Amino acid sequence: MKNDFDAIVIGAGPAGATAAIRLAEAGWSVALVEKRDYPRRKVCGECIAATNLPLLDALGVGEAFREIAGPELRRVGLYVGERTIVAPLPPLDAGPHRWGRALGREHLDTLLLNRASALGVHVWQPWTVKHEQREGVLHACDLVRTGEGETVRLRAPVLIRAHGSWEPEPDAKASARAPHRGGDLLAFKGTYRDASIQPGLLPVLAFSGGYGGMVLGDHGQTTIAFCIRRDALRAQRARNPGRRAALAALDHVQAHCRGVRDALAGAIQTDDWLAAGPIQPGIHSPWRADGSFAVGNLAGEAHPILGEGISMAIQSAWLLCERLLDHADGPSAREASPLQLERIGRDYARRWRGQFASRIRMAAVCAHLAMRPQAAGALLPILQKAPSLLTLCARAAGKVRQPPNSPVGRIPDSIHNGATP
Ligand SMILES: Cc1cc2nc3c(=O)[nH]c(=O)nc-3n(C[C@H](O)[C@H](O)[C@H](O)COP(=O)(O)OP(=O)(O)OC[C@H]3O[C@@H](n4cnc5c(N)ncnc54)[C@H](O)[C@@H]3O)c2cc1C
C-alpha cells in the first residue's frame, strides 16, 4: 500500500476534489482523504454560479453537470414578510454558459470525486484525518477508517486542508470548541418534490434572525436551505417544546416568508432535514504557519446568502494549484524546499485576499440587511417600485462577470466551449 505522496488533500468537497484533480493532471501523486461515504447529502443551497461553469468544464465534469443539473437560473426573487419581488437575473457577460444552475451536492461532489479517482488520485474513503505532525520536511497525517479502528500514516511535502469550516479540525480538543452564542448561525436544508416554485427562479429569503434561499434543482427536487440565529431558533422552540430543531426553524421561516409557505403548501418532503454549523463566515487563513495550505471554506467563508461558496471553493483550489504548479520544477513537488513552499503560501494568501475578500464583505453586508426586518422593511418600498434593483444587486455581487484575477480568464477557449480537456 502506498503511503508517500507528493500531496495529501484532506476533505473531498468541491475544494479538495478540485485541488486533487488539478495536481493529478499535472502528474503529481495525490492522496485525497474523505471521512464520509459518497454519495452524501450536505447542507447547501446547491446553486452553482455561472462564473463557475467553465471551471467545471476544465475539471472534466461540465458535460455530466449539464446533463443532470436543474433549469438555468434566470430570475432572482426576494421573499420577505408577505411580499415577493422578482426581477431578471442578468446573464454572465461572456462564454457559452450564461446562467447558473442547481445540482444536489450528492451529485456534484460525487462527479468531482469520481473524476479525481479516474485521474489516478488515491482516494481514502471513508477515512478521517485525526492527527497531523511534521516529520522533517514532510507532513505526516494519521488516518482512521471512519467508524473502525484501522489506522494508517500518510506522508507528503505538500498538505492541502480542504476539510471545510463546520467540523472540528484534526487534533482539535473538545474543550477548544467555542461556547454557544445567541448570534451563532445554524444552517438547515430540506428537500421537497411538487413544491410550487417556478423553474429558473432563485428566491432569497429574508427573515428576522436569518436568511436563505430556495431553488428547483435536479430531478424536479426543490431545495430550501437557510441560516438562523441560535437565539431566534431557541425562541421558536420555546413556543413549541419538543419540536425538532429543523422543523421549528422551518416554522420560523414560514411565519416570516409567505413565499416559502406558498411554495411548500402541498409539497412532499423527500429526505430528512440536514443541519450544520454554526457556520464561520469571515476570512480565515489560506496559508498556515505549519506550512500547510487551506482552500474552500477553511480559507475563508462568505455568508451563504449570495450562493458563492462552491465557486470560492473551486476557485481557491484552482488558484492554489496554479501557484504550486508554477513554482514547482517538474511534475513533482518533492524538490520544493520548505522555504519555497512558504513563498508559494504567502503569494497564494495575497492573491486569495485579492480575489475573495471583497466577496466575503459584500455577502456580510447582504446577510446583515436580510436578517434585520427593519432594514429589509425600509428597502422594500424601493425594491417594489424598482425590482430591477435586485438585478443590479446580482450584478454587484459578481454574478455577471469573472473577477479580474479569476483563473477562468486563463482557461483555453477550447475548454470554455465545453470540450473535454
Ligand atoms: C445554508 C447554506 C446554503 C448554501 N448555499 C450555497 C449555494 O447555493 N451555492 C454555493 O455556492 N454555496 C452555498 N453554500 C456554501 C457551500 O456549501 C460551501 O461554501 C462549500 O460546501 C464549501 O466547500 P469546501 O470544499 O470548502 O468544504 P465542504 O464542502 O464542507 O467539504 C469538506 C469535506 O471535508 C470532509 N472532512 C472534514 N473533516 C475531515 C477529516 N478530518 N478527514 C477527512 N475528511 C474530512 C467533510 O466530510 C467534507 O466532505 C451554502 C452554505 C450554507 C450553510
Side-chain angles (χ1 to χ4, degrees):
M1 193 194 296
K2 185 173 162 64
N3 296 82
D4 292 291
F5 297 88
D6 295 331
I8 299 170
V9 182
I10 311 176
T18 297
I21 291 172
R22 291 284 291 140
L23 296 180
E25 279 175 337
W28 288 36
S29 69
V30 182
L32 176 58
V33 189
E34 168 55 52
K35 70 199 262 187
R36 303 273 311 274
D37 265 322
Y38 278 15
R40 62 103 172 80
R41 297 170 61 233
K42 189 168 178 78
V43 176
C44 185
E46 309 182 323
C47 296
I48 322 281
T51 48
N52 235 21
L53 302 188
L55 289 178
L56 293 185
D57 281 336
L59 291 168
V61 301
E63 212 174 306
F65 169 84
R66 282 189 291 282
E67 261 171 38
I68 48 175
E72 288 180 337
L73 301 171
R74 289 175 178 245
R75 277 166 316 138
V76 59
L78 181 63
Y79 289 175
V80 50
E82 295 299 301
R83 317 262 175 70
T84 293
I85 302 170
V86 174
L89 199 52
L92 193 64
D93 57 4
H97 317 303
R98 311 295 290 278
W99 283 277
R101 295 168 70 176
L103 179 64
R105 293 290 298 273
E106 62 275 31
H107 302 300
L108 177 71
D109 293 22
T110 306
L111 283 178
L112 288 165
L113 182 70
N114 288 347
R115 173 71 179 154
S117 181
L119 289 166
V121 170
H122 296 250
V123 178
W124 293 79
Q125 184 183 37
W127 287 76
T128 305
V129 175
K130 287 283 188 197
H131 172 68
E132 305 151 22
Q133 65 184 61
R134 294 302 295 249
E135 278 186 10
V137 295
L138 299 179
H139 292 270
C141 291
D142 291 329
L143 281 49
V144 178
R145 191 190 276 276
T146 307
E148 294 177 28
E150 192 183 347
T151 60
V152 75
R153 173 166 287 197
L154 306 182
R155 293 179 198 82
V158 174
L159 176 63
I160 300 177
R161 298 169 184 276
H163 43 83
S165 52
W166 308 335
E167 297 177 60
E169 298 235 345
D171 289 315
K173 303 224 171 5
S175 57
R177 292 199 189 159
H180 288 184
R181 283 189 302 235
D184 288 344
L185 281 172
L186 306 174
F188 294 93
K189 166 174 123 168
T191 44
Y192 290 83
R193 66 180 160 82
D194 299 335
S196 311
I197 181 167
Q198 289 162 12
L201 174 65
L202 178 56
V204 173
L205 323 176
F207 54 89
S208 169
Y211 58 82
M214 278 181 93
V215 73
L216 178 64
D218 54 279
H219 304 92
Q221 187 151 275
T222 295
T223 295
I224 171 168
F226 55 83
C227 294
I228 180 170
R229 283 175 57 111
R230 192 187 292 278
D231 49 12
L233 178 59
R234 203 179 282 139
Q236 181 67 36
R237 293 188 85 182
R239 282 192 275 279
N240 194 352
R243 187 122 165 105
R244 277 181 59 201
L247 297 181
L250 179 65
D251 292 343
H252 180 85
V253 177
Q254 290 191 307
H256 288 83
C257 291
R258 179 184 180 163
V260 177
R261 270 196 318 273
D262 291 349
L264 295 187
I268 297 159
Q269 192 183 325
T270 51
D271 263 307
D272 275 348
W273 275 82
L274 297 179
I279 64 163
Q280 309 288 338
I283 297 173
H284 309 312
S285 33
W287 159 252
R288 295 193 177 188
D290 68 358
S292 65
F293 304 94
V295 290
N297 267 14
L298 194 65
E301 179 171 0
H303 275 274
I305 189 165
L306 301 177
E308 282 290 299
I310 299 171
S311 302
M312 286 176 45
I314 293 179
Q315 292 174 17
S316 60
W318 193 285
L319 182 69
L320 171 63
C321 292
E322 270 193 340
R323 297 296 94 212
L324 287 169
L325 297 171
D326 267 5
H327 280 69
D329 285 336
S332 170
R334 278 204 173 278
E335 295 79 27
S337 67
L339 201 64
Q340 276 174 310
L341 287 173
E342 184 178 337
R343 268 204 295 274
I344 295 170
R346 292 190 189 285
D347 182 37
Y348 163 63
R350 187 177 54 76
R351 289 170 191 260
W352 189 98
R353 285 195 173 77
Q355 192 165 326
F356 301 113
S358 59
R359 281 196 240 179
I360 289 181
R361 284 194 285 267
M362 170 88 183
V365 170
C366 294
H368 286 286
L369 273 178
M371 284 193 280
R372 290 176 172 75
Q374 306 90 326
L379 287 175
L380 262 185
I382 307 172
L383 284 173
Q384 274 184 311
K385 279 210 181 98
S388 56
L389 284 176
L390 276 184
T391 313
L392 280 180
C393 289
R395 277 185 187 282
K399 297 290 180 199
V400 296
R401 206 177 320 129
Q402 302 294 352
N405 44 358
S406 159
V408 174
R410 296 186 291 280
I411 297 174
D413 279 348
S414 57
I415 292 175
H416 262 297
N417 294 333
T420 311

